[in-house]
Amino acid sequence: MRFSTLSVVCCIAMLFYACSGDSAYSTKSMKVFRYNEPAGIQWLDPAKMTKYEDFLVAQQLFNGLVALDDSLQLIPCIAASWMESNDGKSYTFFLREDVLFHSSDLLNNESIKVKAEDVAFSFNRIMDEKIASPGKYIFNNLLEYPNGIEIIDNYTLKINLKTPQPSFLYQLCLPYGSILPSEVVEHFNDDFSQNAIGTGPFQLNKWKKDVKLILSRNPSYFEVNSMGEKLPFIEGISVTFIADKNQEFINFSSGNLDMISGIDEDGKDILLTMNGELKDEFKSKFHLQKQPWLNTDYIGVLVDDSINSITNNPLRSKLLRKAIGYSIDRNTLVKFLRNGIGSPAIHGFIPKGMPGFEKYKINGFNYNLPKAKELISEINNLSSISINLAATEQYKTLCEYLQHQIQQLGVQVKISIYTSSGLRQRIANFDATFYRKSWVADFPEPINYFQLFYSGNLFPEKGYNYYRFQNEVYDSLYVLSLSTPDERKRFEYYKKMQEIIHECVPVIPLFYAETIRFFQNNVAGVCSNSMNTLSLKKVKILDNIFDK
């Protein structure tokens, strides 16, 4: 075993230097999955992570007690099983006894085994005020220390909540639920990112920020596939950080990358048909993976009358907001502006792909210009109304389409383009009151979206309710849904909340996003789900594409 581990590490090390210089070594001769991350990677410490790109790497390095499968169903991971109390306020986890941390000089034959004390350490670290983890919120509902986490024995622990929290197990699937070895974390402290140790299918080999990240196969990984074969199959993962999307595509086309994720305006017209399918001329080289993504693209609207009345904002009119919602042809938007990537957001704010979607979807804003004009006919001095649509440069074409659609109502629409930071600042200062945004789910539970409209989360005092939407009925339903374990009843609350959002229009949903990834044809076994995760433990790099 030691010889095998050393061989893999040496091979991966050669790969790192080969990709950084003019070495003769090549990834093409190795079973290494190569992808590019234009936005870079900031942290490899789960407690510090906020970026989606970091989350993808966390999935390769770490495990939690539970995980999500391709259908967003909860499955065992480090916990072989768990038991929920009848009142929904306690979870008892029974750990596997064969899970080991990655090899480290700081771990001996006993401490390398994952035990209940490691789980308690990892969760308490996230809650530690000194760490200031952005993931602290997932443990806000635990009983006060030391009653929140009880260690029963080496492989059993119990987590006690103040109130029932149906989303809790889903939240444990975030990187903040990763299990870490205390000996390594406390030794490196702030430098743990550069020396990350977890339990995942791959382990950290080399990381040079903005240059390259190399992960090597974990030879002691505990999972097997349905055939009983040991995972992972490939020798490693190589991540580059090429910021230019054109250069990224050139590398992919020439076979130097195994995957690219997402494409720019030019790329989608080159690769995709108007129906979002891969063009025939590329099918001999690449294949396309496309699926729903828990991401709603929308127009956000400031609906706080105390602010809008001062600025004489015409969007304080609910009739105008509703008319705008019905004036937008979302089918045309998705087909022609997005080459069929995504689906029209006509069933409320919660996106397709969310578990239970069919149970709480509503009849939302479908294209109905006569209805829009009927609504707006009740507004006086229509021709004098002018609204300003704010966005970033990336969405200028989308905004021009929306401008044309809305101006069918007889109102004037101006477009203001800002940098990402500039737009955030204007929204925060309430200078931008009508703006293009999107919301990506942190975990697959609708409460992730409904929190944006709860008056207890008003921005800037308490949370992410940038629209400053306030509705007493909505608030009461939201509070009820947080602690209702009965899924059927909870879905009833969700549908009513969707209907209130639609009626009051603090947001105008545009489309539900989809993920698109392109792979070389010799790549098989990449797993994902509507959270846009990237599971590489079952990936195979095939010598012959017919081996698929």
Side-chain angles (χ1 to χ4, degrees):
M1 179 65 74
R2 179 172 294 180
F3 176 77
S4 173
T5 304
L6 181 60
S7 298
V8 171
V9 171
C10 287
C11 287
I12 298 294
M14 290 189 293
L15 164 63
F16 182 83
Y17 293 111
C19 295
S20 302
D22 297 324
S23 170
Y25 295 109
S26 170
T27 60
K28 292 182 179 180
S29 63
M30 302 173 64
K31 302 295 185 184
V32 173
F33 184 84
R34 304 156 301 166
Y35 77 95
N36 184 59
E37 201 53 86
I41 291 169
Q42 186 174 3
W43 298 101
L44 295 185
D45 181 349
K48 304 290 186 181
M49 292 180 177
T50 56
K51 291 177 58 180
Y52 164 74
E53 295 79 11
D54 297 358
F55 282 24
L56 293 187
V57 179
Q59 191 174 358
Q60 321 311 324
L61 291 173
F62 307 103
N63 295 107
L65 293 176
V66 292
L68 295 170
D69 66 10
D70 295 351
S71 302
L72 296 180
Q73 298 300 306
L74 288 162
I75 57 174
C77 194
I78 289 178
S81 63
W82 64 90
M83 185 170 61
E84 182 180 351
S85 63
N86 291 333
D87 62 4
K89 294 196 289 186
S90 293
Y91 294 88
T92 303
F93 296 92
F94 305 95
L95 309 189
R96 296 176 61 128
E97 298 185 20
D98 60 348
V99 183
L100 304 179
F101 289 115
H102 300 151
S103 179
S104 169
D105 292 339
L106 297 170
L107 300 173
N108 58 36
N109 290 338
E110 194 60 29
S111 60
I112 201 169
K113 299 175 184 176
V114 176
K115 297 178 182 175
E117 63 185 296
D118 299 303
V119 178
F121 165 79
S122 301
F123 292 176
N124 283 322
R125 179 173 181 253
I126 297 294
M127 292 184 278
D128 188 340
E129 297 287 351
K130 292 179 289 186
I131 299 298
S133 172
K136 183 178 180 293
Y137 73 95
I138 74 173
F139 298 112
N140 282 347
N141 193 31
L142 263 65
L143 291 180
E144 296 300 321
Y145 181 86
N147 299 316
I149 303 174
E150 295 181 57
I151 297 175
I152 309 300
D153 59 40
N154 279 344
Y155 295 101
T156 311
L157 81 155
K158 186 177 182 183
I159 294 181
N160 300 306
L161 308 178
K162 299 171 187 173
T163 60
Q165 184 180 339
S167 64
F168 181 64
L169 291 180
Y170 289 111
Q171 291 175 307
L172 287 184
C173 298
L174 290 165
Y176 313 119
S178 300
I179 311 306
L180 310 177
S182 59
E183 297 86 349
V184 179
V185 174
E186 290 174 343
H187 177 82
F188 288 109
N189 291 316
D190 291 341
D191 291 328
F192 179 71
S193 252
Q194 293 289 340
N195 302 274
I197 293 288
T199 60
F202 299 93
Q203 55 196 17
L204 178 61
N205 188 284
K206 297 281 184 180
W207 180 33
K208 187 173 182 181
K209 271 196 173 183
D210 302 323
V211 178
K212 186 171 285 293
L213 170 70
I214 299 294
L215 308 180
S216 59
R217 180 179 182 271
N218 174 10
S220 301
Y221 191 58
F222 59 94
E223 286 191 289
V224 297
N225 69 1
S226 59
M227 303 292 291
E229 297 173 302
K230 191 172 178 59
L231 301 175
F233 295 124
I234 56 175
E235 296 170 65
I237 301 169
S238 169
V239 186
T240 51
F241 305 107
I242 302 167
D244 185 270
K245 293 292 285 185
N246 290 328
Q247 190 62 42
E248 177 190 62
F249 182 71
I250 291 170
N251 274 271
F252 178 67
S253 299
S254 59
N256 293 323
L257 292 172
D258 294 301
M259 178 194 81
I260 54 173
S261 179
I263 45 177
D264 57 17
E265 288 291 319
D266 295 331
K268 69 179 176 60
D269 293 329
I270 293 171
L271 291 170
L272 300 176
T273 68
M274 294 304 292
N275 294 319
E277 302 300 326
L278 187 65
K279 289 182 177 178
D280 289 341
E281 56 263 41
F282 296 107
K283 289 181 179 178
S284 62
K285 289 190 66 178
F286 315 134
H287 64 272
L288 170 65
Q289 183 188 79
K290 186 168 71 165
Q291 65 184 41
W293 181 17
L294 300 186
N295 178 1
T296 299
D297 221 271
Y298 65 95
I299 298 172
V301 189
L302 180 67
V303 293
D304 187 333
D305 286 342
S306 66
I307 299 174
N308 285 334
S309 59
I310 295 173
T311 59
N312 199 29
N313 184 355
L315 290 165
R316 66 182 181 274
S317 166
K318 185 171 71 174
L319 288 175
L320 175 58
R321 301 197 300 268
K322 291 182 76 172
I324 291 171
Y326 286 112
S327 73
I328 300 167
D329 184 346
R330 292 160 179 80
N331 288 306
T332 298
L333 187 162
V334 170
K335 183 172 183 179
F336 292 101
L337 270 70
R338 297 186 53 79
N339 287 66
I341 304 169
S343 59
I346 59 174
H347 293 300
F349 193 63
I350 310 301
K352 268 187 177 180
M354 183 70 78
F357 175 83
E358 294 294 327
K359 302 289 180 61
Y360 45 76
K361 72 178 185 181
I362 62 169
N363 293 320
F365 287 118
N366 213 333
Y367 182 49
N368 190 335
L369 191 56
K371 182 172 184 175
K373 289 184 174 180
E374 181 183 344
L375 286 166
I376 209 168
S377 66
E378 300 179 36
I379 300 176
N380 296 324
N381 300 318
L382 192 60
S383 60
S384 65
I385 293 177
S386 178
I387 55 180
N388 195 65
L389 176 58
T392 58
E393 181 67 36
Q394 181 182 356
Y395 296 97
K396 184 178 179 181
T397 302
L398 171 64
C399 287
E400 288 170 348
Y401 175 79
L402 296 173
Q403 178 187 47
H404 176 266
Q405 294 282 285
I406 298 168
Q407 287 185 160
Q408 295 177 99
L409 300 174
V411 302
Q412 295 301 307
V413 179
K414 298 176 182 177
I415 298 172
S416 296
I417 300 299
Y418 303 98
T419 63
S420 295
S421 60
L423 180 60
R424 283 196 301 270
Q425 190 61 48
R426 292 190 69 82
I427 293 171
N429 293 339
F430 308 121
D431 294 325
T433 61
F434 191 68
Y435 46 87
R436 178 266 153 205
K437 286 284 285 182
S438 67
W439 187 261
V440 181
D442 290 330
F443 51 91
E445 224 290 333
I447 208 71
N448 200 270
Y449 287 82
F450 290 128
Q451 64 171 327
L452 302 178
F453 308 99
Y454 176 51
S455 67
N457 292 332
L458 285 180
F459 180 87
E461 305 98 304
K462 297 176 181 178
Y464 294 112
N465 185 349
Y466 287 96
Y467 333 104
R468 294 189 64 83
F469 175 68
Q470 299 177 68
N471 182 286
E472 290 183 2
V473 177
Y474 181 93
D475 285 352
S476 65
L477 290 167
Y478 176 81
V479 171
L480 278 172
S481 68
L482 286 176
S483 57
T484 300
D486 185 320
E487 184 177 79
R488 183 189 60 80
K489 195 67 180 174
R490 201 164 67 248
F491 285 178
E492 289 178 9
Y493 299 151
Y494 290 167
K495 188 163 188 172
K496 290 176 182 177
M497 285 192 281
Q498 288 247 73
E499 290 168 345
I500 292 171
I501 294 168
H502 174 70
E503 176 62 28
C504 297
V505 208
V507 291
I508 300 170
L510 297 174
F511 59 87
Y512 309 129
E514 285 184 321
T515 62
I516 55 168
R517 289 174 175 150
F518 300 89
F519 297 94
Q520 302 291 343
N521 271 344
N522 68 328
V523 174
V526 178
C527 298
S528 187
N529 56 36
S530 296
M531 289 293 297
N532 200 16
T533 56
L534 181 66
S535 177
L536 299 176
K537 62 190 175 188
K538 296 181 181 178
V539 168
K540 292 183 178 180
I541 309 294
L542 306 174
D543 296 321
N544 187 329
I545 62 171
F546 297 107
D547 292 338
K548 287 185 179 181

